[in-house]
Amino acid sequence: MEKSNQDKVAVEERGVTPPERLWNAEYCKVMCSNFLLFFAFYLLTPLLPIYLDRQFAADKDTIGIVLSGYVIATFLVRPFSGFFVDSFNRKRVLVICFFAFFICFAGYIGAGTLLMFAIIRTMHGIPFGAATVANSTVAIDVLPSSRRNEGIGYYGLSNNLAMALAPSVGIYIYSVTDNFSLLFWLSLLLAMVGFFCSTSVRIPEREIKKSKPRLDLDHFFLSRAWLMAINVCLFGLCWGMLSNYVALYGQKELGITDGTGVFFALLSLGLVLSRLSGHTALRNGRITQSCAVGVSLSLCGYILFAMAINEWTYYVSALLIGLGNGRMYPAFLNLFVKVARHDQRGTANSSILISWDFGMGIGILAGGVIAEFVNFSAAFWVAALMQMAGTLLFLAFTRVFYQRRRLAD
């Protein structure tokens, strides 16, 4: 203790301010609730096409329509989510949305028809979209300002990691138990734990404007970030195709019956490694450089995946996509926040998620249609081309666009 005090005095004498604590208790709670929210949701993602095929004998384009329903609902609700998060008590908005999110999992258990399942899946997108916006905005509120770039990067890892890790866990449980009901119950339980975690978060008091706000576009979408939104949309399209159809693709066209869990495990490993190696760049403000590395790595991964030469290229592509997305998404989240005013944090968060969801919805729907009328290989070549278009757009235009519109910290 004495040595610690001496070190503190020495730092003060040198006139150097010690770095603020990044991993404070409230930030850890927000990270945990966000991880559980995405983990519960994506535990089912790669298995739902198999479930719909097995339980309801749905064809591929019908599966695409059913699975894209939640994305449409999420896309429609997120602009209003940003407005409510910026205009009302953020903790209250988060708790209400998270509660509705976890309750919706009970509907999957009781859905006895394809129509009922489609309705429940679509309705689930509403609280999912609202809760993700509220939770990410609360994360920014509890971060110290000097560590915000780095903290946003790690926060992005929590949902990226859940989106990669949960499918491999779900596939493993299904391969062992052959029981979809167990997975639905497990998702319900995990979402409930995440809900209780969110109720314990304490956020700084902030002044809420009592006057009725003037409604304009910037209350619902950050128009200053329109080109960045197009860029994120292209990348979301690629992820929508990959995450929803990789299991069917591996089984039906590559003959890899038990490899999807390994695929997502390697994707998770890439995400973790990219954050461990990329946090210094975000801390030092090299956001666009980090993003450029990420989009380029992801491009290599998608091309390798579409080529599907053998099992090794299948698995290496997962690692590359993980490495790329682990750098790309947190960097883009920082870009959106930095072109927004302090009172637009909710709108900035909802805007990047709207863009991602819109792209994902197109990817899920297009992937099902292309697979039905051509094959899965053609669908993933389309994904690779969209990733290439997004990469070129970022390198040629989006980086300059961001620098011109960035606001002072």
Side-chain angles (χ1 to χ4, degrees):
M1 178 68 71
E2 183 179 349
K3 185 178 186 303
S4 176
N5 290 333
Q6 290 174 351
D7 292 341
K8 184 176 181 181
V9 171
V11 168
E12 291 174 351
E13 288 176 351
R14 290 196 301 269
V16 179
T17 303
E20 296 178 274
R21 185 182 177 190
L22 171 62
W23 296 98
N24 61 71
E26 307 312 314
Y27 179 63
C28 290
K29 291 175 189 175
V30 175
M31 286 276 286
C32 183
S33 62
N34 187 62
F35 178 82
L36 289 170
L37 185 152
F38 277 89
F39 194 96
F41 197 78
Y42 282 93
L43 186 71
L44 307 174
T45 296
L47 293 167
L48 288 181
I50 299 174
Y51 176 74
L52 295 175
D53 179 45
R54 175 177 162 180
Q55 188 75 12
F56 303 112
D59 53 28
K60 293 171 186 174
D61 51 347
T62 301
I63 291 173
I65 293 171
V66 171
L67 296 183
S68 62
Y70 90 88
V71 182
I72 295 171
T74 302
F75 172 76
L76 292 175
V77 78
R78 274 197 169 137
F80 302 97
S81 305
F83 173 74
F84 279 107
V85 166
D86 284 336
S87 304
F88 300 98
N89 184 289
R90 285 176 180 163
K91 170 72 175 292
R92 191 171 303 158
V93 173
L94 172 61
V95 169
I96 292 172
C97 294
F98 216 126
F99 178 79
F101 169 76
F102 107 76
I103 285 296
C104 281
F105 280 104
Y108 296 127
I109 301 169
T113 65
L114 181 62
L115 177 61
M116 182 60 67
F117 187 94
I119 292 172
I120 292 168
R121 183 66 175 174
T122 301
M123 294 299 294
H124 204 176
I126 297 175
F128 175 73
T132 49
V133 171
N135 206 73
S136 57
T137 308
V138 168
I140 297 173
D141 284 345
V142 300
L143 279 169
S145 57
S146 64
R147 307 293 295 275
R148 189 163 290 148
N149 289 355
E150 187 182 4
I152 290 174
Y154 280 117
Y155 179 83
L157 174 63
S158 67
N159 52 276
N160 282 160
L161 186 59
M163 289 167 68
L165 186 61
S168 63
V169 174
I171 289 167
Y172 173 76
I173 293 173
Y174 173 68
S175 66
V176 172
T177 64
D178 194 30
N179 190 334
F180 282 106
S181 293
L182 176 63
L183 288 166
F184 294 146
W185 278 107
L186 182 58
S187 291
L188 177 67
L189 177 63
L190 290 170
M192 184 176 66
V193 174
F195 163 71
F196 283 115
C197 187
S198 70
T199 62
S200 66
V201 177
R202 293 177 298 176
I203 64 175
E205 292 290 332
R206 67 185 183 93
E207 182 181 355
I208 302 174
K209 296 179 181 179
K210 300 297 182 182
S211 58
K212 186 176 180 180
R214 180 175 60 87
L215 293 180
D216 57 33
L217 176 62
D218 273 341
H219 284 306
F220 304 101
F221 189 84
L222 194 63
S223 59
R224 288 176 55 83
W226 65 267
L227 185 59
M228 291 148 54
I230 293 173
N231 225 156
V232 170
C233 180
L234 289 170
F235 297 136
L237 184 153
C238 305
W239 180 259
M241 285 191 183
L242 180 79
S243 61
N244 282 269
Y245 299 113
V246 63
L248 278 176
Y249 178 55
Q251 286 181 8
K252 294 184 179 295
E253 296 196 12
L254 301 182
I256 304 174
T257 55
D258 299 322
T260 310
V262 177
F263 182 93
F264 280 105
L266 289 169
L267 195 66
S268 304
L269 176 63
L271 287 167
V272 173
L273 291 176
S274 67
R275 291 306 334 120
L276 293 177
S277 62
H279 72 94
T280 304
L282 291 180
R283 183 192 301 173
N284 295 333
R286 299 195 303 271
I287 302 172
T288 55
Q289 296 92 324
S290 183
C291 193
V293 172
V295 298
S296 301
L297 284 171
S298 290
L299 174 60
C300 294
Y302 277 105
I303 291 174
L304 197 60
F305 183 82
M307 292 171 65
I309 299 171
N310 52 41
E311 286 193 24
W312 285 105
T313 57
Y314 178 77
Y315 293 132
V316 171
S317 68
L319 183 63
L320 288 173
I321 293 170
L323 288 168
N325 277 20
R327 279 191 174 239
M328 176 186 70
Y329 190 88
F332 262 109
L333 183 55
N334 267 292
L335 299 183
F336 272 78
V337 170
K338 286 183 175 297
V339 300
R341 301 190 308 268
H342 291 305
D343 63 337
Q344 291 181 308
R345 287 175 181 171
T347 306
N349 278 288
S350 67
S351 297
I352 186 173
L353 291 169
I354 288 167
S355 308
W356 184 263
D357 287 341
F358 186 68
M360 271 194 67
I362 295 173
I364 295 171
L365 188 58
V369 172
I370 296 171
E372 178 69 22
F373 292 100
V374 188
N375 53 38
F376 279 115
S377 180
F380 289 120
W381 272 115
V382 170
L385 289 173
M386 291 300 100
Q387 181 71 28
M388 181 180 294
T391 300
L392 293 174
L393 178 64
F394 178 80
L395 296 176
F397 299 105
T398 305
R399 288 191 296 182
V400 178
F401 177 89
Y402 160 72
Q403 295 294 349
R404 289 176 177 172
R405 296 186 174 227
R406 176 181 175 180
L407 300 178
D409 291 330

